[in-house]
Amino acid sequence: MARSSRLEEPDAWGTSRQSRLFPGRPLVHADLHNHTWLSDGRGDPACAFESMRAAGLDVAALTDHSRWASLFLGLRDAPGWTGIDWRAWRRAASLADEANRDGEFVAMRGFEWSHAAFGHMNVWGSERFTDPLRTVPTMGRFWRWLESRGSDGLVSFNHPGTGRLRFGGFRYRPAMGERVVGLEIFNKTEDYLFKDTDRGRLSPLVQCLDAGWRVGLLGVTDEHGADWGTPEGKGRAGLYVDECTRQGVLEALAARRFFASRIKGLRVDATLTSTPGGSSSPARMGTALAHAGGRALVQIDLDRGEAWWGRPLSVQVLRPGRPMPRLAATAKAPLPRPDEPVIAFEVDLDPADGDWVVLRVSDPGEPPDPRATGQWAQLGRGIAYTSPFWLDRTGPPGHGR
């Protein structure tokens, strides 16, 4: 197992890497969506991984756009604005291999399938790539590529809502249910919970989860500049890994054992327990809970080092609703010190209202999203989301812990 002494120490911001709810697997900080001049970014790809490692990240991925560079058929280097070609694809792999250090720093290559109408999707871990020029005019052709030639990759929905067709309405694809692992809830500085809700459209979170996708929630910088990892306030992800390797990262993604944040160094983990009866053990974020209805206990572990101890925060329980999720409960509490109990409270959960539960953390001392209205406008700025829990009336927890 590639576990180093570095991961046994606090992270670059002084936060312990150990969840207080599930100690064992260390927390790694990740940014899985970045660009360079291999597509439409402004920075030299040779500098990207070192910049992100120096900024305190443990895991980083280059995911330059794939658009329509295949038009050039390999006759010459395609201009970056057309997206990656095979030369750029091989260059990204070489740079990732040079930067990768098992047990210390994970460097990955991926690509961002970029369609103006359907939307953008990241693919990590695949040996091949494709582009919309070869997979138009429907989402179905891209799905079929992922199920055949790209069957070794994991996938995410990126900045959901920027493509007007929203991935074909997030229509569920059973054959891809396990491999579509993420939804970007934080991209750059935007909270996509609110995307287009001011125009009468469904929140992308609601639309995606209601369609049946069991995705975790990611934060990413989607960096297009040359200061990878440095800007404040942009999204990032925290993953709990068995080992600090590419395989360890892909396993954590597949297990939905991760959270979204836009605070550097923030640690988040959460459990949901059926009370009374139901599951005899707590379900971790990203898994299913056997719950026939009634009260459930929420526990959320938060830390950001000594500077944040005692900071007033708000934790919300999000449930299916339209156009925004329904706020099933809200708890206000200071961020606990390590020797104090984690934040805990109970909430009524009826599976008949929908099968998913998401925890959102906000800072009441910061201004809310400008699109927030009603109760949402009173909660301050969102700073973190857990991956969802799913309520199963019967059966064991899913996706593992």
Side-chain angles (χ1 to χ4, degrees), residues 183-383:
L183 174 81
E184 291 181 356
I185 195 73
F186 291 133
N187 179 287
K188 299 181 180 177
T189 60
E190 184 169 355
D191 186 340
Y192 273 79
L193 176 72
F194 299 98
K195 180 67 176 178
D196 289 339
T197 55
D198 54 341
R199 301 178 183 179
R201 298 194 70 182
L202 281 178
S203 165
L205 178 69
V206 170
Q207 190 174 9
C208 178
L209 298 182
D210 280 359
W213 294 103
R214 292 198 167 191
V215 293
L217 299 183
L218 289 165
V220 299
T221 64
D222 193 1
E223 188 58 65
H224 284 69
D227 55 351
W228 302 273
T230 303
E232 300 289 342
K234 292 188 176 182
R236 55 184 51 214
L239 294 77
Y240 292 94
V241 297
D242 284 322
E243 57 182 26
C244 190
T245 64
R246 290 173 180 169
Q247 185 56 42
V249 169
L250 293 173
E251 187 278 331
L253 288 171
R256 283 61 164 174
R257 203 167 51 246
F258 56 88
F259 61 89
S261 169
R262 51 182 172 187
I263 302 296
K264 292 180 179 180
L266 186 67
R267 187 186 75 233
V268 182
D269 202 358
T271 64
L272 193 61
T273 308
S274 185
T275 58
S279 174
S280 59
S281 61
R284 193 175 196 173
M285 62 180 183
T287 70
L289 173 72
H291 184 73
R295 305 289 283 176
L297 175 67
V298 174
Q299 294 179 290
I300 184 163
D301 170 39
L302 297 165
D303 199 5
R304 176 48 174 78
E306 186 174 357
W308 275 56
W309 295 344
R311 189 184 188 104
L313 296 176
S314 172
V315 180
Q316 300 109 50
V317 180
L318 278 52
R319 297 281 285 129
R322 290 176 175 250
M324 289 285 289
R326 177 174 63 87
L327 285 168
T330 300
K332 295 182 178 180
L335 193 151
R337 297 172 59 92
D339 57 352
E340 296 175 333
V342 300
I343 297 171
F345 57 95
E346 290 192 353
V347 60
D348 280 312
L349 297 176
D350 186 349
D353 296 334
D355 69 349
W356 57 266
V357 180
V358 170
L359 303 185
R360 178 178 186 260
V361 183
S362 63
D363 185 341
E366 297 290 332
D369 190 282
R371 298 162 295 185
T373 61
Q375 288 178 284
W376 295 99
Q378 309 302 313
L379 297 172
R381 177 175 179 263
I383 62 170

Side-chain angles (χ1 to χ4, degrees), residues 23-90:
R25 296 182 176 102
L27 167 66
V28 294
H29 299 293
D31 187 1
L32 297 170
H33 186 167
N34 291 277
H35 297 277
T36 72
W37 67 39
L38 292 176
S39 61
D40 63 348
R42 297 188 297 277
D44 183 347
C47 302
F49 286 118
E50 179 55 35
S51 178
M52 287 186 272
R53 183 171 185 176
L57 287 163
D58 308 299
V59 180
L62 293 186
T63 52
D64 275 297
H65 293 282
S66 71
R67 288 193 171 109
W68 45 280
S70 56
L71 178 68
F72 291 87
L73 299 175
L75 299 178
R76 67 181 183 88
D77 288 345
W81 52 269
T82 68
I84 56 173
D85 59 11
W86 283 104
R87 295 179 182 88
W89 182 241
R90 289 191 292 268

Side-chain angles (χ1 to χ4, degrees), residues 108-132:
M108 299 172 60
R109 172 191 68 170
F111 70 95
E112 185 178 17
W113 184 85
S114 304
H115 192 286
F118 286 112
H120 294 196
M121 301 181 75
N122 271 347
V123 181
W124 308 282
S126 64
E127 287 297 318
R128 301 180 179 90
F129 81 97
T130 190
D131 60 31

